[in-house]
Amino acid sequence: MSVRIRPLHPHLFAEVEGIDMRRPLAPDEVAAIEAGMDRHAVLVFHGQDITDEQQVAFSTNFGEIELALGGNITKDADRRLDVKLADISNLDRDNRLFARDDRRRMFNLGNRLWHSDSSFRAVPAKYSLLSARRIPQSGGNTEFADMRAAYDALDDATRAEIEDLVCEHSLLYSRAQLGFTELSEEEQRTFAPVRQRLVRTHPVTGRKSLFLSSHIGTIVGWPMPEARCLIRDLIEHATQREFVHAHVWRQYDLVMWDNRQTMHRARPYDETREARDMRRTTIAGEAPTVAQQAA
Ligand code: OGA
Ligand code: MN
């Protein structure tokens, strides 16, 4: 094995060399990648010209695939990719660019808000693996923020205040921030809020982190406006430049991040003129962060 991991930022994000995702991994390679994830929270692998099947096979080394169901408004018949892959592109099933006002494009713009993937699910995601098949000439970076470093930098009073807080997360809340409120009753049922701890502890390293996301709409037991003020302050704190790494994509990069320790967001590009074909496999989390209860 010759996996080499080179950090590119003081807190998070490292570059991996020595992996070819077109072939099966040896157990020591999987272990080296997992150790790299525990430490750096986001890893980039360059030059991975892979098929969807190879992406799924590589991802399966790290846990169960979370199916791309219930996280979007795209109808099954309009799906471009297999249900094991989340479609993070601006393309319809005929590989044509979405029109500027296409409802699916409007909904997908939610990725421009800081978030943690599937924090709106009762069992939130562990890892996400995003493969860049086609990228625009400019723009379309992805930014990552380190929620461990952000937690460490809080003052003692804030840490004590938030230790046991539980938030409600829903796609309805992140989309409402964009003014996207026209959802059918069925969509609203699908996106019913779930509960998540605000502070979580990494199962391997024991490090605490802020479990923040733009999907948060309130804190259990708090008046909503007060909850939103605190969450806004925490997101502002946690996304200061010192905690953030901006990834500039190259074609065939695969970036893998730990949703338990980071937030991320997409940056703009010329979506109505240029194709950006990104495909995401998601590794399911192992347990809820808190007991669920009907909201
Ligand atoms: C995602 C996501 C950001 C981007 O794939 O989960 O939020 O830059 N992507 O496309
Ligand atoms: Mn995302």
Side-chain angles (χ1 to χ4, degrees), residues 57-74:
F58 174 74
S59 303
T60 305
N61 286 301
F62 306 101
E64 300 261 328
I65 303 273
E66 177 193 283
L67 299 183
L69 293 171
N72 211 290
I73 55 166
T74 303

Side-chain angles (χ1 to χ4, degrees), residues 157-177:
T158 308
R159 279 194 220 166
E161 182 186 20
I162 66 172
E163 176 68 23
D164 292 316
L165 295 181
V166 173
C167 298
E168 290 192 0
H169 296 233
S170 168
L171 284 165
L172 300 173
Y173 294 136
S174 49
R175 271 48 188 183
Q177 291 188 42

Side-chain angles (χ1 to χ4, degrees), residues 20-228:
D20 178 351
M21 293 181 194
R22 293 168 305 183
R23 51 163 193 81
L25 295 193
D28 59 345
E29 292 176 316
V30 175
I33 294 169
E34 271 181 341
M37 287 296 286
D38 290 344
R39 174 133 184 221
H40 305 289
V42 190
L43 298 175
V44 59
F45 305 76
H46 298 296
Q48 306 294 330
D49 180 3
I50 50 174
T51 64
D52 291 353
E53 291 72 26
Q54 287 164 340
Q55 182 171 346
V56 167
F58 174 74
S59 303
T60 305
N61 286 301
F62 306 101
E64 300 261 328
I65 303 273
E66 177 193 283
L67 299 183
L69 293 171
N72 211 290
I73 55 166
T74 303
K75 311 266 179 305
D76 280 352
D78 291 334
R79 193 184 287 285
R80 191 174 67 105
L81 308 176
D82 184 84
V83 69
K84 288 184 176 155
L85 291 106
D87 194 347
I88 315 294
S89 75
N90 56 338
L91 303 169
D92 69 16
R93 61 169 299 153
D94 300 315
N95 286 307
R96 282 185 308 230
L97 301 181
F98 285 141
R100 187 166 186 193
D101 61 353
D102 191 293
R103 193 167 179 266
R104 294 165 292 182
R105 186 175 101 80
M106 295 299 100
F107 189 87
N108 293 346
L109 283 171
N111 279 342
R112 296 257 296 269
L113 305 177
W114 285 108
H115 65 281
S116 173
D117 288 334
S118 295
S119 76
F120 54 84
R121 296 184 196 272
V123 177
K126 180 185 174 191
Y127 297 158
S128 292
L129 299 93
L130 190 60
S131 161
R133 308 295 175 83
R134 209 173 148 190
I135 58 170
Q137 290 192 357
S138 64
N141 294 347
T142 307
E143 295 183 345
F144 296 92
D146 192 327
M147 295 303 104
R148 309 163 300 181
Y151 177 85
D152 291 346
L154 293 172
D155 58 60
D156 290 345
T158 308
R159 279 194 220 166
E161 182 186 20
I162 66 172
E163 176 68 23
D164 292 316
L165 295 181
V166 173
C167 298
E168 290 192 0
H169 296 233
S170 168
L171 284 165
L172 300 173
Y173 294 136
S174 49
R175 271 48 188 183
Q177 291 188 42
L178 301 177
F180 190 108
T181 48
E182 277 160 43
L183 291 142
S184 68
E185 281 187 14
E186 189 191 339
E187 287 166 343
Q188 295 192 36
R189 269 196 305 278
T190 308
F191 302 149
V194 303
R195 294 181 168 187
Q196 309 289 1
R197 292 190 63 89
L198 180 53
V199 177
R200 59 191 303 188
T201 304
H202 191 277
V204 177
T205 65
R207 278 188 82 179
K208 285 188 176 175
S209 60
L210 285 169
F211 193 30
L212 288 169
S213 195
S214 295
H215 304 311
I216 297 177
T218 195
I219 297 170
V220 175
W222 282 43
M224 185 181 267
E226 197 180 346
R228 291 199 178 188

